[in-house]
Amino acid sequence: MLAAAAAFAAGTTHAAAADTTPSVVIVHGAFADGSDWSKVIPLLQAEGVKVTAVQNPLTSLADDVAATRRAIAAQPGKVVLVGHSWGGTVITEAGQHGKVASLVYVAAFAPDAGKSTAETGEGYPAAPGSKRFVADADGFLSLPEAAMREDFAQDVPAAQAAVMTATQGPIQAKAFADKVSHAAWTAKPSWFIVSSRDRMIDPGLLRAMAKKIKATTTELPASHVPQQSRPADVARVILAAVAATR
């Protein structure tokens, strides 16, 4: 009986310890969906990390923040909130949630409070890929396959870029003018991956944002989607944030 009680207590203690590991919530960017993270997610799960990929509607900042907050609220404890590209603007706002302990920006925007994504890029060269958006009749922007292959994901195989074209989520153009009301990075520790070969966001802008938010920064010789071309490196940065948040 005593042995059984001791085993039960040990199991309970182990479960409680496991529960202290923060969950990871990942917010994809424009011209993508949650599958954009399909190479990184298994690497995190292999380390025992619970991962949720948000499926952003990409209709407005408010709508994407609401979807992200729902995912955060569903987690059992602390959260490491990860955002790629436009998703960086989303986590800057949604990261105010009380469960969010830290932020990871992956080739992402990190606006100031009161600033929009579009305003964040002022004073820096327009990246080549940003000139190739195609708008539909309702104002949603997408990337043609050539732009996906040459500017968005130039360091992945062409067949993979074709799948990314097919699964991309068009974004409402007006979302880029939506302003962030609060900047979570002012109060929470941040990590930042700079893609030195980014053709969607000027690498100089990425470096400046990483410095401004005082992030722990890793620079990779990658396109705009290091989660696709260098998933192990990206997973390593996220796991560092998880380890620091335990």
Side-chain angles (χ1 to χ4, degrees):
M1 183 68 122
L2 288 175
F8 175 79
T12 302
T13 301
H14 177 75
D19 287 345
T20 65
T21 301
S23 302
V24 170
V25 173
I26 301 176
V27 183
H28 66 79
F31 319 114
D33 68 0
S35 68
D36 196 38
W37 287 86
S38 61
K39 294 182 178 180
V40 172
I41 289 171
L43 300 178
L44 301 179
Q45 291 173 332
E47 297 298 323
V49 177
K50 181 179 185 293
V51 186
T52 299
V54 179
Q55 296 290 352
N56 296 327
L58 299 175
T59 44
S60 69
L61 177 59
D63 290 345
D64 285 5
V65 168
T68 300
R69 284 176 174 158
R70 288 193 297 271
I72 295 168
Q75 305 311 308
K78 293 179 180 179
V79 169
V80 173
L81 187 58
V82 181
H84 171 244
S85 191
W86 158 256
T89 300
V90 178
I91 71 170
T92 296
E93 181 75 34
Q96 291 292 314
H97 194 289
K99 286 188 175 182
V100 175
S102 56
L103 308 165
V104 180
Y105 291 83
V106 180
F109 290 101
D112 275 317
K115 296 289 186 179
S116 68
T117 302
E119 290 171 322
T120 301
E122 290 177 351
Y124 288 86
S130 67
K131 302 173 185 177
R132 302 181 74 177
F133 302 151
V134 175
D136 68 12
D138 296 314
F140 282 83
L141 304 177
S142 60
L143 281 176
E145 186 169 347
M148 184 70 73
R149 185 176 61 249
E150 296 164 5
D151 294 315
F152 196 83
Q154 72 269 23
D155 55 356
V156 306
Q160 184 179 338
V163 171
M164 293 170 67
T165 303
T167 58
Q168 71 175 295
I171 186 168
Q172 173 54 242
K174 292 185 290 187
F176 291 129
D178 292 342
K179 295 180 186 294
V180 169
S181 60
H182 299 90
W185 51 260
T186 61
K188 300 185 180 184
S190 299
W191 280 254
F192 205 113
I193 294 176
V194 171
S195 289
S196 65
R197 299 174 184 169
D198 202 315
R199 292 176 61 84
M200 298 301 299
I201 303 175
D202 180 72
L205 173 58
L206 291 174
R207 295 183 188 105
M209 289 187 291
K211 182 178 180 180
K212 183 183 181 77
I213 71 174
K214 299 178 181 178
T216 300
T217 303
T218 299
E219 183 155 336
L220 299 176
S223 70
H224 188 55
V225 286
Q227 68 271 25
Q228 292 275 5
S229 61
R230 301 179 70 99
D233 292 324
V234 173
R236 194 173 296 114
V237 171
I238 296 171
L239 288 170
V242 169
T245 305
R246 289 179 186 274

